[in-house]
Amino acid sequence: MTAQRFFTHPYGIAASASACALLWGSAFPAIKASYAALDIRPEETSELLWFAGMRFFLASLLILGFLRVLNEPVRLRRAALLPMLKVGAFQTFLQYCLFYFGLSLSTGSQGAVISGTTSFFQMLFAHMLYKDDKLSARKIAGLFIGFAGVAAVNITEGASLFRFGVGEACLLAAMAAAGIGNVFAKEESASIPVAYLTGYQMLFGAVGLMIAGTAFGGVRTFHFVPATAGLLAYLAVLSAAGFVLWNTIMKYNRVGNVSMYLFLIPVFGVALSSMLLNEPFHLFVLLGLLLVAAGIVIVHRKRPAEEPKVGHTG
């Protein structure tokens, strides 16, 4: 079975997209656990950026090293430089500058639920870039339901007060950057091999994160023990595997055909944060989770007459 056939088959899409969602959902408790173990506090912007940069630098080396083992080309091509910088600026640098800072001010559960909005941002950018991926009344209704979920998860339990602070705003902005970064990755994967594109965009994004971290407070080092080194290694592996898988799925499918699977990220993220970090799973978190999931399903639910379209449509 060829890669295209697998990644366009319904079972292949479901298996690979669900695997991505599980990997990305597990990142929320892993990052929060890393902050606690390394004593990285929200106000320590330099440390946050350096830790993010180290994660994606290792992930890029894993991807490029794997290509080398397979005897695939890894030499940086001049023609691919600007496209990879564009993808890296959004999919790694900007997304994770905002994400790491935002998550340091929020719970893993809040971050997981807000991550579900990536699908909505992808829909908006696809509407602007693709003629056959326009917003409809059904999609707009799904968008409103989904963003209502984001609002619900930020209501303080017991006090019934809406809470949307700097952390939540940064997480939402990070998901917007992720959405446009995913669309850019889809466009560029039409002419650049996915693993090659992903490895170098991560490398450039990681260098940018570490430069930004240095600008905020100089070069940072961390005292790693086996547990914290294991967390960093896990985050690097999930990034390498998750982004290569997702960018491959995006290459062979229309944005609207696969984005519905992103609703699994908050499902996995909230469940794992609750189990591993003992975070409360209160009513508003559950309500927000259900609304985000419902919004994404409504946005991407096909009518019986609709036929799936495969391939690049830009």
Side-chain angles (χ1 to χ4, degrees):
M1 179 180 287
T2 65
Q4 181 169 355
R5 185 175 178 185
F6 175 80
F7 286 108
T8 55
H9 191 281
Y11 292 137
I13 295 172
S16 53
S18 298
C20 286
L22 177 59
L23 287 169
W24 286 333
S26 70
F28 298 97
I31 293 170
K32 294 294 287 186
S34 299
Y35 289 165
L38 293 171
D39 193 28
I40 301 175
R41 294 182 289 275
E43 67 272 14
E44 295 175 333
T45 305
S46 180
E47 284 82 354
L48 292 170
L49 294 174
W50 263 95
F51 186 74
M54 292 170 64
R55 169 191 174 184
F56 288 102
F57 185 78
L58 289 175
S60 69
L61 294 184
L62 286 173
I63 296 172
L64 296 175
F66 184 67
L67 289 176
R68 174 71 72 178
V69 169
L70 295 179
N71 292 319
E72 296 288 338
V74 294
R75 183 180 177 183
L76 182 60
R77 301 195 301 269
R78 182 178 298 180
L81 180 60
L82 286 179
M84 290 188 296
L85 283 171
K86 179 178 71 173
V87 175
F90 286 92
Q91 203 173 55
T92 298
F93 176 71
L94 187 56
Q95 177 185 177
Y96 286 97
C97 270
L98 294 163
F99 179 82
Y100 267 65
F101 182 68
L103 193 60
S104 72
L105 296 171
S106 303
T107 65
S109 296
Q110 285 175 312
V113 174
I114 291 174
S115 73
T117 61
T118 303
S119 178
F120 305 125
F121 286 115
Q122 285 186 182
M123 292 293 300
L124 292 173
F125 296 129
H127 170 77
M128 293 185 284
L129 295 173
Y130 303 124
K131 293 181 179 180
D132 63 344
D133 230 340
K134 297 297 184 183
L135 287 173
S136 62
R138 172 174 53 86
K139 291 178 180 179
I140 292 171
L143 290 175
F144 276 107
I145 291 172
F147 279 112
V150 175
V153 80
N154 289 290
I155 297 176
T156 304
E157 183 186 16
S160 295
L161 298 173
F162 181 75
R163 182 172 68 84
F164 193 88
V166 174
E168 290 74 27
C170 285
L171 287 170
L172 197 60
M175 296 310 107
I180 195 167
N182 289 346
V183 173
F184 285 158
K186 172 183 173 59
E187 288 184 339
E188 302 304 339
S189 66
S191 57
I192 302 173
V194 169
Y196 179 88
L197 169 66
T198 306
Y200 274 109
Q201 72 86 3
M202 276 189 178
L203 179 62
F204 296 146
V207 171
L209 287 165
M210 289 187 284
I211 290 173
T214 302
F216 274 100
V219 176
R220 297 299 179 186
T221 58
F222 300 98
H223 176 65
F224 286 103
V225 296
T228 50
L231 283 169
L232 178 61
Y234 175 72
L235 287 167
V237 170
L238 77 85
S239 298
F243 275 100
V244 169
L245 260 180
W246 185 252
N247 286 344
T248 303
I249 297 166
M250 291 286 286
K251 174 180 180 177
Y252 291 116
N253 295 276
R254 197 171 65 183
V255 175
N257 290 350
V258 297
S259 293
M260 65 173 288
Y261 291 97
L262 293 176
F263 88 90
L264 291 172
I265 298 175
V267 172
F268 289 131
V270 170
L272 291 171
S273 293
S274 179
M275 289 187 294
L276 300 176
L277 302 179
N278 295 318
E279 292 184 354
F281 195 86
H282 57 73
L283 178 62
F284 290 117
V285 172
L286 179 60
L287 176 61
L289 184 61
L290 292 175
L291 286 172
V292 168
I296 297 174
V297 171
I298 289 170
V299 163
H300 299 300
R301 186 170 181 266
K302 292 183 177 299
R303 299 177 185 274
E306 290 184 50
E307 294 294 332
K309 298 182 180 180
V310 175
H312 182 71
T313 57

